[in-house]
């Protein structure tokens, strides 16, 4: 089992920056690919970014160039740095763990409870 706890969400103005974190406990964190997803009100959950166990990131087109995913295996933590935020980035952000990096949410085995990010215009 892997337990994931997100933190760092909040309210920010459009154009601003915010960083969210996901702390993992349980099985060996370093062996998992980690992903960030988000769900906006009235919309389906969507892929945001993912990072391999070795640190290679992949991004959704909608956030490419604005968001940056990273991980610190010594701290069992994955981060999502969000810059140039837009009102359409408003959502609950979830981190998840999978055996391999993937854009498909149904391939992730473990999920956090989510953290709210709100971007005001």
């Amino acid at each position: 089992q892997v337990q994931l706890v997100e933190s760092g969400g909040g309210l920010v103005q459009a154009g601003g920056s915010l960083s969210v974190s996901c702390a993992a406990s349980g099985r060996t964190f370093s062996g998992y690919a980690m992903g960030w997803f988000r769900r906006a009100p009235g919309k389906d959950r969507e892929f945001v970014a993912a990072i391999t166990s070795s640190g290679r990131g992949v991004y959704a087109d909608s956030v490419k160039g604005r968001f940056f995913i990273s991980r610190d295996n010594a701290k069992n933590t994955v981060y999502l740095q969000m810059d140039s935020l837009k009102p359409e980035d408003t959502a609950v952000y979830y981190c998840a763990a999978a055996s391999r990096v993937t854009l498909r949410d149904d391939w992730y085995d473990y999920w956090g409870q989510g953290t709210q990010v709100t971007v005001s215009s």
Side-chain angles (χ1 to χ4, degrees):
Q1 287 286 340
V2 175
Q3 292 78 43
L4 303 173
V5 178
E6 301 95 337
S7 62
L11 174 65
V12 64
Q13 288 188 332
S17 297
L18 200 63
S19 180
V20 290
S21 303
C22 174
S25 61
R27 289 189 174 182
T28 305
F29 171 78
S30 61
Y32 284 92
M34 300 297 296
W36 284 99
F37 291 79
R38 66 188 182 188
R39 188 192 298 273
K43 294 187 177 181
D44 293 333
R45 184 167 58 192
E46 66 172 356
F47 171 79
V48 175
I51 188 167
T52 66
S53 57
S54 60
R56 179 177 65 86
V58 293
Y59 301 89
D61 288 344
S62 60
V63 306
K64 201 171 293 183
R66 300 188 298 121
F67 289 13
F68 178 72
I69 189 171
S70 61
R71 66 190 297 162
D72 185 338
N73 289 336
K75 295 183 178 180
N76 287 358
T77 302
V78 61
Y79 307 93
L80 184 68
Q81 174 66 37
M82 302 179 287
D83 298 326
S84 302
L85 282 160
K86 305 174 181 180
E88 51 263 43
D89 294 318
T90 295
V92 177
Y93 283 71
Y94 300 89
C95 72
S99 58
R100 56 176 292 183
V101 71
T102 175
L103 280 62
R104 292 183 52 168
D105 61 356
D106 58 339
W107 285 20
Y108 285 81
D109 300 311
Y110 304 102
W111 290 85
Q113 82 289 348
T115 185
Q116 177 70 47
V117 172
T118 302
V119 184
S120 63
S121 57

